Amino acid sequence: MALLHLTFAPCPLDRLEKPGAEEAHVWLVDLETPCDNWLSPAEQERANAMRHAEKQRHFIAARSALRLILSKYVGGAPDKLALAAAAQGKPFLDMPDALQFNVTHARGKALIAIAPVSVGIDLEFARSVRNLDRLVEDYFAPEEEKSLTSLPNDQRAQAFLAAWTRKEACLKATGEGIAGGLHRYRVTLRADEEPKLLSIDGNESAAQAWTLHAFAAFGDGQAAICAASPSLSVQGFAL
């Protein structure tokens, strides 16, 4: 599988140049590493309402990391940046000509994508998948189901997670989330195929306006980034 190969440079101390028109930055964040709390009062209130200690800790770390990273591009104190939420719940930076961003986290790790266009990112770790056939039937396009069922049994779970990750990245880029319909975004999933968005609602031309990349992260993690650009390069940083 021709995955995108990313190297993650150490976090620059000074202000960062914003990614170009056809560029995205992806940040690796360890949510278990101690960090400063940059939450706004509303975010802190949200965190305080969380009953699960680990969930609360990871939320504070992920949102603080996001604010710190954004401040490196746009300036200002991290806790003073104006973050708002769109109708479907996707957060955005509320300022003129703002950068777009998206966050994903799992198992105490996070990826944060930054771009000048709509962007989505997702992270999944290798695991067994219960009711795989039912999930494929419910959420995958017929062509994807055929491709998946043609694989040997020992390859299906990995291919399923690869496809799920790519579909989620697409839906997060549009701001729809899973409710928007995973089956609408047809992607490649086999190890011998280039990771790619093939069609949206059966329309191959519509898919050409987006770029989908897949890459490895945090050892056995599978990740995907999707952005509203027909050609997208990706640069990596580690916080």
Side-chain angles (χ1 to χ4, degrees), residues 128-147:
S128 60
V129 181
R130 297 180 60 186
N131 302 318
L132 188 149
D133 291 340
R134 178 63 182 273
L135 290 170
V136 171
E137 182 180 348
D138 289 346
Y139 296 108
F140 282 29
E143 298 90 344
E144 293 168 327
E145 182 177 5
K146 181 178 179 181
S147 181

Side-chain angles (χ1 to χ4, degrees), residues 39-74:
L39 268 59
S40 69
E43 290 168 335
Q44 188 62 57
E45 184 177 350
R46 178 180 170 186
N48 293 341
M50 296 178 178
R51 296 183 178 181
H52 195 288
E54 182 181 72
K55 183 177 180 181
Q56 181 189 73
R57 186 172 69 252
H58 289 171
F59 172 80
I60 292 172
R63 190 53 66 98
S64 293
L66 171 64
R67 285 182 165 276
L68 178 60
I69 289 167
L70 288 173
S71 72
K72 289 182 173 294
Y73 294 102
V74 303

Side-chain angles (χ1 to χ4, degrees), residues 6 8 24-28 111-113 121 215 225 234-237:
L6 279 182
F8 296 91
H25 293 172
V26 173
W27 289 77
L28 266 68
L111 295 172
I112 298 176
I121 194 164
F215 59 96
I225 180 173
V234 183
Q235 186 176 0
F237 296 98

Side-chain angles (χ1 to χ4, degrees), residues 62-235:
R63 190 53 66 98
S64 293
L66 171 64
R67 285 182 165 276
L68 178 60
I69 289 167
L70 288 173
S71 72
K72 289 182 173 294
Y73 294 102
V74 303
D79 56 337
K80 302 302 182 184
L81 294 179
L83 298 183
Q88 298 298 323
K90 184 178 181 180
F92 65 93
L93 188 57
D94 192 9
M95 60 185 299
D97 301 320
L99 287 169
Q100 304 290 310
F101 63 85
N102 196 232
V103 181
T104 182
H105 57 85
R107 296 189 186 177
K109 309 294 184 182
L111 295 172
I112 298 176
I114 307 289
V117 296
S118 297
V119 64
I121 194 164
D122 193 56
L123 170 68
E124 300 284 347
F125 284 93
R127 65 181 186 276
S128 60
V129 181
R130 297 180 60 186
N131 302 318
L132 188 149
D133 291 340
R134 178 63 182 273
L135 290 170
V136 171
E137 182 180 348
D138 289 346
Y139 296 108
F140 282 29
E143 298 90 344
E144 293 168 327
E145 182 177 5
K146 181 178 179 181
S147 181
L148 188 69
T149 55
S150 69
L151 292 172
N153 288 336
D154 61 350
Q155 297 179 22
R156 290 184 184 180
Q158 182 178 0
F160 171 85
L161 288 173
W164 189 279
T165 304
R166 296 167 194 183
K167 288 169 172 285
E168 277 228 49
C170 294
L171 283 162
K172 292 178 74 177
T174 63
E176 297 171 284
I178 291 181
L182 288 169
H183 64 282
R184 297 175 50 228
Y185 294 81
R186 186 163 68 92
V187 300
T188 56
L189 51 85
R190 296 173 62 98
D192 59 354
E193 296 177 305
E194 184 79 17
K196 188 176 181 180
L197 175 61
L198 298 173
S199 66
I200 302 174
D201 292 326
N203 187 334
E204 296 181 3
S205 296
Q208 294 175 5
W210 299 80
T211 295
L212 175 66
H213 288 304
F215 59 96
F218 306 112
D220 64 343
Q222 297 191 62
I225 180 173
C226 180
S229 170
S231 178
L232 184 78
S233 63
V234 183
Q235 186 176 0

